[in-house]
Amino acid sequence: MNGILLAMVSLAFVFAGWRQLVWVPVAGAAAPMEALSKAMIEAAGGAVTLAIGLVGVMTLFMGLMKVAEAGGMLRIIARLIRPLMVRLFPDVPAEHPAMGAMILNLSANALGLGNAATPFGIRAMQELDKLNSRPGTATNAMVLFLAINTSSVTLLPTGVIALRAAAGSMDPAAILPTTLCATIGSTAVAILAAKLFCRWSPAPPAPDAAPGALPLSEGDGDLVPAESPYPLWVSLAALGCLVSLVPLAVLYGQAVSPWIIPGLMVFFLGFGALRGVAVYETMVEGGREGFQVALRIIPYMVVILVAVAMLRASGALDLLVEALGQLTAPLGLPAEALPMALLRPLSGSGAYAVLASLINDPAIGPDSYTGMLISTLQGSTETTFYVLAVYFGAVQIKRIRHAMATALTADLAGVVCAVLACLYLFGR
């Protein structure tokens, strides 16, 4: 992250400085360096505002997560899909709470519930860090989880569907199949890239353990007694139910989406109550942990969001779009959609603003090829830099190893798959 931060800030400063030297004053227009300074201050304040807004969401969903854990839900889910998770994460014990937390995070992402996915993801990173014998350095499991998180299969991009409906789309949910295709492709690439890149970015040697101490993966107090997995037919039935969600999401996704978050709360609390959990006290305890985590990640968010804002305000991003647009347009990625592809890993709010402005532009609209493509991009890729800052910041990871390369490779694969899917279904 050190090199990435320096590169972003230096490029923004150099480009804005060059524009300042050749700038001709215009009445009412801010000078380039003045605009850069303003963007930095606004981004710093916006990052804190965003983090404060995240405090309430973190408190709520980390509390629900605690209820689910106390009731044994995470163990049930881990047993259900243990064969797949054990193969993907061989360094994580099958019954470790990290397994269930990762599954809940990926499930929330699949339903387009970013607010719910973030607390689950942070909890998963905290549990993975308990298995980390090299504090401050990302493990292979952390990198793989983050890569899958940023590219996870999406069944229901609820926010994008709502925005398309508001823009007057004739079929707001038409992007469901293209989003699903794009995220399946990006997730597959994310897994392959994480497994491949870890060979080129080995972890440093673990510090010497105290005499007689067990490795963290064996001596962690959060481990529970091993239990046999469910019969194969149970896992296959669960997989069939998951697959059946795809046509249901296409047919009823827009009608069901407002029920999802309230339904999650009722489900978690009801499950806990049936399992004999003191849901109020347990939820408060988990919420207290979420509150503390949300405050701890503020500095990480400020740093990365200020760097991104500098890159945008300097005009360097616009120049890059203009240069690349001439190359990508013949490949199915028009220049109008390129800002979305470049902004999405950097700034979620910036990409969302680009999407809103383009699909509300009468010359483009939500149902044109470009409108479909940018809607798919918004629903199928993640704000990579934000996720890196928040998830690694929550567990004080400073050496991210191959995490950035893996996540950006998955982002690129998501863009390519989105273009191919939109070309196939909607043409030019």
Side-chain angles (χ1 to χ4, degrees), residues 133-135 137-138 201-207 399 401:
S133 59
R134 305 170 184 84
T137 299
S201 179
R399 183 175 178 183
R401 299 176 60 215

Side-chain angles (χ1 to χ4, degrees), residues 197-216:
F197 294 168
C198 70
R199 301 178 181 179
W200 302 330
S201 179
D208 294 334
L214 291 173
L216 285 178

